[in-house]
Amino acid sequence: MSYKTYIFDLDGTLLDTLGDLAASVNYALRTYGMPEHSIDNVRRFVGNGVRLLMERAVPAGAANPLFDEAFTTFRSYYMEHSLDTTRPYDGIPDMLAQLKSRGCHLAVVSNKMMAATQELCQYFFSETIEVAIGENEAEGIRKKPAPDTVFAALKALGTDSDNAVYVGDSDVDIQTAHNSGLPCVSVLWGFRDKDFLIRNGAETLISAPHELLL
């Protein structure tokens, strides 16, 4: 499994962010007297960006008259608490370092807020991840599963899709890879299980980060 360029999803692929996301969601819900959610519920809500995360978490979604306030509270709280419990999955830092030592290009594309994506990558992966792109639809870059963030990452790396691969943990990532014309490696340590990934088109699956080095 040898490629020259690796484009990674962030949440559920490189970082276990679920605890901080769930705490932030529930803080916002609690603030406005809304019922809170379990970790497993939040796990299912993640993947399509923070607005959809909150639309799924808030009763009646965006139609709720308090939605905008809850969403703003979530964003603010998460930016202050995104490092409380978030950590790289076991084996991720070493895998990235080994790919880097082989001369590979490494980038992250995420539906997470741009500021949070860049902050987390700088904090955990400053020596290995060259480009980190988060949600930036205000600039006309559509979020995943559109291919825009992948193409933006390739451009920022100064390379193209030849000998590139996309690595992620969700159905959104499988769709993103397909829409970008890249092969997809689906990881089994993230937010979706094997059966779900296979039902959604996963073809290459790995159970540990070091398998990307083989």
Side-chain angles (χ1 to χ4, degrees), residues 14-75:
L14 298 183
L15 293 178
D16 183 356
T17 56
L18 189 58
D20 290 335
L21 286 169
S24 301
V25 166
N26 284 330
Y27 175 82
L29 296 174
R30 190 163 59 247
T31 298
Y32 294 96
M34 300 173 186
E36 298 180 36
H37 288 285
S38 68
I39 286 277
D40 281 342
N41 277 350
V42 175
R43 181 194 306 273
R44 288 191 290 271
F45 297 161
V46 171
N48 296 93
V50 292
R51 184 175 178 86
L52 273 175
L53 164 62
M54 287 303 291
E55 287 183 8
R56 292 162 177 162
V58 170
N64 190 305
L66 293 175
F67 176 79
D68 288 341
E69 290 91 336
F71 181 46
T72 298
T73 298
F74 162 81
R75 287 173 62 102

Side-chain angles (χ1 to χ4, degrees), residues 55-92:
E55 287 183 8
R56 292 162 177 162
V58 170
N64 190 305
L66 293 175
F67 176 79
D68 288 341
E69 290 91 336
F71 181 46
T72 298
T73 298
F74 162 81
R75 287 173 62 102
S76 176
Y77 187 89
Y78 184 69
M79 287 304 299
E80 295 177 5
H81 294 273
S82 63
L83 291 169
D84 286 2
T85 63
T86 289
R87 297 290 183 272
Y89 289 101
D90 290 345
I92 290 293

Side-chain angles (χ1 to χ4, degrees), residues 80-178:
E80 295 177 5
H81 294 273
S82 63
L83 291 169
D84 286 2
T85 63
T86 289
R87 297 290 183 272
Y89 289 101
D90 290 345
I92 290 293
D94 181 64
M95 176 269 292
L96 294 175
Q98 291 202 46
L99 289 177
K100 188 72 172 180
S101 72
R102 296 177 182 181
C104 297
H105 295 297
L106 309 178
V108 160
V109 297
S110 176
N111 280 341
K112 185 188 288 293
M113 297 172 288
M114 177 70 86
T117 299
Q118 294 185 335
E119 178 183 275
L120 289 169
C121 287
Q122 177 63 29
Y123 185 84
F124 289 110
F125 308 123
S126 61
E127 299 299 315
T128 49
I129 295 297
E130 302 165 60
V131 171
I133 295 177
E135 188 277 319
N136 197 20
E137 291 197 304
E139 296 298 320
I141 300 175
R142 295 171 298 169
K143 67 178 184 291
K144 301 184 294 182
D148 301 27
T149 51
V150 173
F151 293 157
L154 292 171
K155 182 177 180 181
L157 289 169
T159 187
D160 55 32
S161 59
D162 289 345
N163 205 21
V165 66
Y166 185 97
V167 184
D169 74 304
S170 74
D171 51 325
V172 174
D173 294 314
I174 295 166
Q175 295 162 14
T176 301
H178 175 77

Side-chain angles (χ1 to χ4, degrees), residues 169-207:
D169 74 304
S170 74
D171 51 325
V172 174
D173 294 314
I174 295 166
Q175 295 162 14
T176 301
H178 175 77
N179 292 338
S180 305
L182 298 182
C184 184
V185 174
S186 297
V187 308
L188 295 176
W189 56 81
F191 296 168
R192 303 289 187 268
D193 63 30
K194 182 177 182 179
D195 289 344
F196 177 90
L197 291 171
I198 291 173
R199 286 198 308 271
N200 283 275
E203 296 179 351
T204 302
L205 300 105
I206 61 172
S207 57

